[in-house]
């Protein structure tokens, strides 16, 4: 996922290809923090991080030098057959249930902005959350402002989030932020067959237009 974030930063002209030398490492997945905390060490007991179960391929998509781990690759995480299974289950709930779930989750947000600070794609010199002329939404950690903050950030990451899972890991109150990003990622994949960080030659999703787009959303 590190290389995927580099690819998006290259696409968005935040990095120059000639300025960086990428040492790629074939990745067999990282062990979930809860497994590390449990002290389990034998291969059968190890659980991999959720983000790694949805990640493929194991060889970075862009590198100048590759550190190969062929002997480790087959011992690593097995890709999920359906990485969006949980999202589909959630989508099957009523709109009231889904709204209630996210209201409860976002009501716990303390607006520490750790999710933004750790995100490789949140590099704006002045984030919308810090602007005061005008102020775009309440800066107080109340439900209205929290909903606005988290929805706006999710939209700003649409087609850009590379599912590194760091926002969720950094959130001190344990809000399942990755689920928001995965839902948008799934819709973008299904609607536009687009995957963030797949290749440096692809145009960023929100800066391109297809003349044959059926534009089904216009009614
Ligand atoms: S998973 Fe979170 S931290 Fe990582 S790119 Fe997506 S929004 Fe940013
Ligand atoms: S939340 Fe939006 S405005 Fe703020 S840093 Fe991230 S992308 Fe930029
Ligand atoms: S890291 Fe969690 S608590 Fe902090 S602003 Fe982000 S969602 Fe809210």
């Amino acid at each position: 996922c590190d290389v995927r974030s580099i690819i998006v930063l290259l696409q968005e002209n935040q990095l120059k290809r000639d300025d960086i030398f990428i040492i790629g490492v074939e990745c067999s997945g990282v062990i979930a923090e809860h497994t590390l905390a449990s002290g389990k060490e034998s291969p059968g007991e190890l659980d991999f991080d959720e983000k790694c179960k949805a990640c493929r391929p194991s060889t970075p998509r862009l590198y100048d030098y590759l550190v190969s781990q062929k002997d480790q690759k087959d011992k690593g995480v097995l890709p999920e057959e359906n990485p969006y299974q949980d999202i589909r289950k959630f989508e099957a709930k009523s709109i009231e249930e889904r709204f209630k779930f996210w209201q409860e989750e976002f009501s716990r947000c303390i607006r520490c902005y750790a999710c933004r600070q750790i995100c490789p794609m949140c590099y704006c010199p002045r984030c919308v959350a810090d602007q005061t002329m005008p102020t775009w939404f309440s800066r107080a950690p109340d439900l209205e402002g929290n909903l606005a903050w988290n929805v706006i950030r999710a939209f700003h990451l649409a087609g850009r989030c590379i599912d590194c899972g760091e926002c969720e890991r950094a959130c001190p109150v344990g809000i399942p932020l990755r689920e928001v990003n995965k839902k948008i990622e799934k819709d973008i994949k299904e609607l536009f067959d687009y995957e963030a960080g797949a290749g440096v030659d692809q145009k960023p999703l929100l800066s391109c237009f297809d003349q044959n787009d059926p534009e089904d959303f216009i009614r």
Side-chain angles (χ1 to χ4, degrees), residues 65-145:
Y65 179 82
L66 182 66
V67 179
S68 183
Q69 300 198 83
K70 285 201 170 51
D71 56 329
Q72 289 294 319
K73 223 164 50 170
D74 295 338
K75 296 178 194 161
V77 61
L78 293 172
E80 277 181 346
E81 275 180 32
N82 182 358
Y84 299 121
Q85 203 171 343
D86 290 346
I87 303 292
R88 287 186 211 287
K89 270 190 214 158
F90 190 72
E91 284 173 337
K93 296 185 181 196
S94 70
I95 195 164
E96 290 80 13
E97 282 177 295
R98 284 181 276 157
F99 189 49
K100 184 167 179 287
F101 174 85
W102 285 113
Q103 274 185 313
E104 286 171 6
E105 289 295 335
F106 290 145
S107 69
R108 297 188 292 112
C109 173
I110 56 171
R111 302 289 281 283
C112 64
Y113 302 123
C115 49
R116 174 190 70 185
Q117 295 308 107
I118 205 158
C119 176
M121 299 311 142
C122 270
Y123 54 73
C124 300
R126 194 143 184 228
C127 174
V128 67
D130 297 333
Q131 292 178 21
T132 50
M133 292 174 66
T135 299
W136 294 100
F137 48 85
S138 160
R139 291 159 68 94
D142 52 25
L143 181 59
E144 189 185 344

Side-chain angles (χ1 to χ4, degrees), residues 8 41 50 55-56 80-81 86 106 109 113 128 146 153-154 179 206:
V8 176
E41 286 182 359
E50 286 302 314
C55 181
R56 57 184 69 81
E80 277 181 346
E81 275 180 32
D86 290 346
F106 290 145
C109 173
Y113 302 123
V128 67
N146 291 353
R153 199 180 96 84
E179 297 303 307
L206 297 182

Side-chain angles (χ1 to χ4, degrees), residues 166-180:
E166 286 300 293
C167 48
E168 183 169 310
R169 192 176 69 84
C171 178
V173 293
I175 298 172
L177 296 170
R178 189 166 164 262
E179 297 303 307
V180 184

